[in-house]
């Protein structure tokens, strides 16, 4: 969900476009891909360096590495020496490994740090999780004053007494109880004061969601775009079916902010057009319109553990197949060795048992930062 809101404010598109590449108006050099990776802050370089390690890489980006390193080191907005870069980025997105690498870098560089604060703070609501992920991307994932860590500390410092509210979720901050939405409003206020790139539009968008009381996205999410238009989910009609499949779980409510125009545009794009298909598949398999390779949990429907891109399961055996294929890659470091024989046994017997699989989800989650694992 955050990906779509971020894309709306950073690129003007309500859907993420892995193949998109253009000059960044906010001074980041060239911005491209899944979450607007830029040549100025180094995350585009990280995507390319990880992509170089994949099986289908043909060497196209090699000539840009030196320039990208210099631009990242100086946080330069220059685009000198990058002629043809955007064309190559777009063409490279025909390779599923390139899109998978983008997601893996976004997860490891931005999502993982934001989830650390979600857990530490005890965040409950979707809007708060989205704000923290957005902050890691826009302001930076580090612990410095202007990055997410510093903003969280500055916000916490503002609360020295119990702060009640009507959200229904209370956080424990500095030994006092603080309403989650009261904390979130203060966090956004402090974040805005730091004048982060694109921050005003992002912050106002989240304040709009908060103002309308849609904290956990139980109803269609509406958010103002930089063009003044109010964007809303057009896939909400599928919620009932998704909720029925998932037992009404929270994931069934985490539908992306998509416009019909954005869906049509993405579907007509030759590169990475299958992304929309993955969204629809995931809507009905996991209740969420976006795929989450990190997902892993015991399945209430008797499938053992389910995990990953399209809910691979230990009972069906497709989860074991992913692990087995991962073992054949050069980057495999024995992550799943402790579970391999058990997974193989459950796959062969089509067993929904979860015995001897404690800790599997932690291993799965950590493995998703490896592009070789994700592409499987």
């Amino acid at each position: 969900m955050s990906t779509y809101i971020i894309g709306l404010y950073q690129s003007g598109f309500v859907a993420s476009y892995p193949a998109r590449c253009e000059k960044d108006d906010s001074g980041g050099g060239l911005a491209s891909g899944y979450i607007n990776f830029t040549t100025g802050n180094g995350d585009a370089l990280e995507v390319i360096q990880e992509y170089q390690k994949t099986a289908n890489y043909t060497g196209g980006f090699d000539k840009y590495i030196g320039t990208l390193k210099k631009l990242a080191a100086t946080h330069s907005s220059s685009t000198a020496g990058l002629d043809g870069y955007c064309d190559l980025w777009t063409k490279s997105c025909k390779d599923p490994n390139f899109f998978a690498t983008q997601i893996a870098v976004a997860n490891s560089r931005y999502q993982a740090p934001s989830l650390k604060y979600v857990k530490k703070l005890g965040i409950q609501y979707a809007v708060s999780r989205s704000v923290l992920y957005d902050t890691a991307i826009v302001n930076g994932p580090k612990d410095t004053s202007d990055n997410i860590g510093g903003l969280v500390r500055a916000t916490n410092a503002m609360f020295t007494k119990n702060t009640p509210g009507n959200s229904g979720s209370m956080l424990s901050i500095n030994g006092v109880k603080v309403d989650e939405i009261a904390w979130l409003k203060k966090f956004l206020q402090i974040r805005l004061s730091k004048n982060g790139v694109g921050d005003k539009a992002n912050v106002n968008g989240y304040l709009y969601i908060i103002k309308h009381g849609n904290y956990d996205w139980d109803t269609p999410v509406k958010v103002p775009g930089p063009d003044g238009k109010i964007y809303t989910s057009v896939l909400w009609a599928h919620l009932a079916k998704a909720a029925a499949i998932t037992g009404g779980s929270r994931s069934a409510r985490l539908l992306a902010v998509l416009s019909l125009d954005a869906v049509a545009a993405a579907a007509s794009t030759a590169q990475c057009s299958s992304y929309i298909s993955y969204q629809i598949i995931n809507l009905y398999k996991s209740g969420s319109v976006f795929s989450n390779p990190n997902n892993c949990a015991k399945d209430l429907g008797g499938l053992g553990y389910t995990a990953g891109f399209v809910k691979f399961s230990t009972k069906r055996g497709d989860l074991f197949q992913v692990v087995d294929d991962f073992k054949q890659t050069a980057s495999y470091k024995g992550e799943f060795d402790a579970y391999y024989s058990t997974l193989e046994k459950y796959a062969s017997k089509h067993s929904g048992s979860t015995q001897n699989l404690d800790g599997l989800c932690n291993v799965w989650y950590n493995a998703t930062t490896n592009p070789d694992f994700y592409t499987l």
Side-chain angles (χ1 to χ4, degrees), residues 1 8 13 60 85 106 133 155 242 273 277 307 372:
M1 176 67 172
L8 179 62
F13 296 107
Y85 172 89
Y133 182 35
T155 304
S273 60
S277 299
D372 283 346

Side-chain angles (χ1 to χ4, degrees), residues 153-161 174 186 190:
R153 285 197 304 274
T155 304
N156 288 349
M158 301 298 292
F159 294 98
T160 58
K161 61 181 181 180
N174 301 324
K186 182 61 67 175
I190 292 174

